[in-house]
Amino acid sequence: MKCKICSATTQKLFAARILLKYDVQYFYCAACGFLQTEEPYWLDEAYKEPISITDTGVIARNVSLSKIAASVIYFLYN
């Protein structure tokens, strides 16, 4: 497989299970250090539900980021 960054040849590094059902290969590029997967055929399914039931930090992240957004809006815009 060719690297998506520099087009050098990559090497299979490991495999991991995605969405509890797809065994996906990961490839490493020694030329630029980029780590990539095989073509991501699972993305439509992965993004079908906007919030995963296993994401326990979604509320905390939203509260934290809302404070940052409010500060940016207050200081940079009328």
Side-chain angles (χ1 to χ4, degrees), residues 1-2 4 24-25 27 36-43:
M1 174 175 239
K2 295 289 184 186
K4 293 180 181 180
V24 176
Q25 299 293 318
F27 299 87
Q36 68 188 45
T37 67
E38 59 190 270
E39 281 302 314
Y41 54 85
W42 61 88
L43 288 181

Side-chain angles (χ1 to χ4, degrees), residues 3 5-10 28-34:
C3 176
I5 301 298
C6 72
S7 298
T9 301
T10 61
Y28 177 72
C29 177
C32 71
F34 186 62

Side-chain angles (χ1 to χ4, degrees), residues 37-78:
T37 67
E38 59 190 270
E39 281 302 314
Y41 54 85
W42 61 88
L43 288 181
D44 286 340
E45 184 176 343
Y47 290 109
K48 190 158 103 176
E49 295 294 326
I51 299 174
S52 171
I53 194 161
T54 60
D55 186 358
T56 59
V58 67
I59 300 298
R61 283 193 309 279
N62 282 315
V63 169
S64 175
L65 291 173
S66 73
K67 292 175 184 177
I68 294 169
S71 295
V72 168
I73 292 167
Y74 179 80
F75 289 109
L76 297 180
Y77 300 97
N78 290 331

Side-chain angles (χ1 to χ4, degrees), residues 14-26 37-38 41-43 45-46:
F14 62 91
R17 186 153 282 200
I18 302 288
L19 299 176
L20 303 175
K21 63 180 172 181
Y22 300 116
D23 291 321
V24 176
Q25 299 293 318
Y26 285 75
T37 67
E38 59 190 270
Y41 54 85
W42 61 88
L43 288 181
E45 184 176 343

